């Protein structure tokens, strides 16, 4: 392993707390060599860190999408019950006095919570 690869490995280990993958180390060592940034250059750790954070941030949208899909799939029943309750109570909400609307919303929220708890069991 070259000095450049060792330095990339040291920086990535310090950033992540984990041993970096050999492919990532080799790629970053190659890039820094191609742009002629030596391990002693102050830009060297900055380049490695920025590349690491770029990779990390690129994965966030996919993680959000995956989590949202999971939540929607797991709680589909709860959401559909909530929609049904809202649809059932729309006419009553419009005609009810303001203080009664609060009670209706409280009742709807309670029903949604109890349905959600039952679905989790």
């Amino acid at each position: 392993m070259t000095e450049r690869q060792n330095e990339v490995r040291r920086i990535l280990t310090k950033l992540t707390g984990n041993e970096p993958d050999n492919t990532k180390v080799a790629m970053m060592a190659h890039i820094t060599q191609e742009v002629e940034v030596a391990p002693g250059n102050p830009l060297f750790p900055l380049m490695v860190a920025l590349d690491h954070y770029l990779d990390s941030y690129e994965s966030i949208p996919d993680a959000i999408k995956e989590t949202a899909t999971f939540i929607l799939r797991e709680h589909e029943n709860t959401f559909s019950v909530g929609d049904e309750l809202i649809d059932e109570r729309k006419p009553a909400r419009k005609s009810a006095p303001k203080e009664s609307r609060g009670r209706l919303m409280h009742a709807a929220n309670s029903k949604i919570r109890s349905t959600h708890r039952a679905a989790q069991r």
Side-chain angles (χ1 to χ4, degrees), residues 3-4 7 32-33 35-45 47:
E3 175 192 359
R4 190 176 298 272
E7 187 63 9
T32 57
Q33 183 174 1
V35 295
E36 299 177 0
V37 175
N41 188 319
L43 288 177
F44 190 86
M47 286 182 66

Side-chain angles (χ1 to χ4, degrees), residues 41-59:
N41 188 319
L43 288 177
F44 190 86
L46 181 63
M47 286 182 66
V48 174
L50 289 175
D51 186 71
H52 164 71
Y53 289 120
L54 176 65
D55 288 348
S56 296
Y57 291 143
E58 283 179 338
S59 67

Side-chain angles (χ1 to χ4, degrees), residues 60-111:
I60 290 173
D62 291 335
I64 291 171
K65 183 179 179 182
E66 183 179 320
T67 302
T69 301
F70 171 77
I71 289 170
L72 289 172
R73 186 177 49 243
E74 291 296 313
H75 301 288
E76 185 176 9
N77 184 37
T78 302
F79 294 137
S80 64
V81 168
D83 289 342
E84 290 168 11
L85 282 170
I86 289 170
D87 289 342
E88 283 175 17
R89 296 178 186 250
K90 271 185 185 174
R93 268 194 4 234
K94 287 181 181 174
S95 63
K98 191 171 185 167
E99 63 275 357
S100 297
R101 288 186 217 157
R103 286 194 297 269
L104 287 171
M105 289 307 293
H106 178 73
N109 287 335
S110 296
K111 180 67 174 170

